[in-house]
Amino acid sequence: MATLILVRHGRSTANTSGVLAGRTPGIALDERGAAQAAALPGRLAGVPLAAVVSSPLQRCRETVRPLLDARPGVPLHTEERISECDYGDWSGRKLAELMDEPLMQVVQGHASAAAFPGGESMRAMQARAVDAVRDWNARIEEEHGEDAVFAMCSHGDIIKAIVADALGLHLDLFQRIQVDPCSVTAIRYTRLRPFLLRLGDTGDLSGLAPRETPAGEGAAEVGGGAGAP
């Protein structure tokens, strides 16, 4: 089947302000995020793309724009099922204050039981995203052949949930996966099993430098974090 290139959107204004954006409208790339997006065509220069599929949210559309400008023949498709998790009442709140919510412990350690007030459950988030990937895999293979490659621009928790599914990991373990802004994750799907080819590749190793963990020792940052300073 097709090879999927998962791109997390570039760093956003919400990432740098420590806000859980969710589906809040008007969240754009910040200056660094725009630079990350501008570098994406060069990083993928050697990869033929049959199509680009994007979350409808602004920060994803801004991330893929330079790539599409560099490849005017590649079609863009919008896919609602890879939109950000619906964090409901948590959307727009500071991550620092959310750490005091009892639900955060569930989100961190028992994600399959977590449901956001006024929003969706993490199980539902993963199910819709994986369904979208499977449907697009079949469509791309049918239209372009089994060796086709396509890109999908989405969000941190969505990509982590897709990777967990590809690796056969229970959703409760998905917070162990890290994908920084504008990182590239590649999954090759076959008839019997997926293969994880790249995970959170940012094109350099600066993301491996020690960094502060504002969410607390050993905790994953809900929404994906802001990446290296």
Side-chain angles (χ1 to χ4, degrees), residues 10-228:
R11 196 173 73 175
S12 73
T13 54
N15 294 143
T16 47
S17 60
V19 168
L20 184 63
R23 299 180 179 182
T24 305
I27 303 297
L29 299 182
D30 67 5
E31 184 176 353
R32 177 168 180 166
Q36 291 171 332
L40 192 58
R43 293 170 59 202
L44 294 177
V47 181
L49 294 176
V52 173
V53 182
S54 177
S55 158
L57 295 182
Q58 178 179 340
R59 53 196 184 273
C60 287
R61 291 186 283 107
E62 290 180 348
T63 298
V64 298
R65 178 45 52 194
L67 181 62
L68 293 166
D69 288 344
R71 304 193 191 195
V74 175
L76 171 65
H77 305 277
T78 300
E79 174 56 76
E80 294 280 349
R81 292 176 294 175
I82 61 167
S83 187
E84 180 63 286
C85 183
D86 184 356
Y87 297 116
D89 298 343
W90 280 26
S91 300
R93 293 179 61 186
K94 288 282 190 179
L95 286 165
E97 70 179 43
L98 288 172
M99 291 307 299
D100 295 329
E101 294 280 354
L103 177 60
M104 182 59 83
Q105 291 184 326
V106 183
V107 171
Q108 293 291 326
H110 191 14
S112 63
F116 296 98
E120 70 179 330
S121 69
M122 301 200 89
R123 285 182 294 107
M125 174 199 76
Q126 183 185 45
R128 63 171 166 83
V130 170
D131 282 349
V133 166
R134 300 290 182 177
D135 290 346
W136 278 102
N137 281 345
R139 175 173 172 176
I140 294 296
E141 181 179 9
E142 181 180 357
E143 295 179 358
H144 301 278
E146 62 181 13
D147 293 324
V149 181
F150 70 107
M152 191 175 266
C153 186
S154 188
H155 308 268
D157 281 349
I158 298 291
I159 293 173
K160 289 160 57 177
I162 292 170
V163 170
D165 172 77
L167 292 176
L169 291 177
H170 196 283
L171 183 60
D172 288 349
L173 303 179
F174 98 126
Q175 298 288 25
R176 301 182 183 190
I177 299 167
Q178 176 74 24
V179 288
D180 281 346
C182 225
S183 62
V184 171
T185 294
I187 304 172
R188 167 72 173 170
Y189 287 86
T190 73
R191 186 173 64 86
L192 296 180
R193 64 183 64 85
F195 293 89
L196 183 63
L197 307 179
R198 294 287 188 278
L199 176 61
D201 189 340
T202 60
D204 60 58
L205 298 178
S206 62
L208 297 179
R211 69 184 75 169
E212 294 181 5
T213 309
E217 179 63 26
E221 294 184 62
V222 179

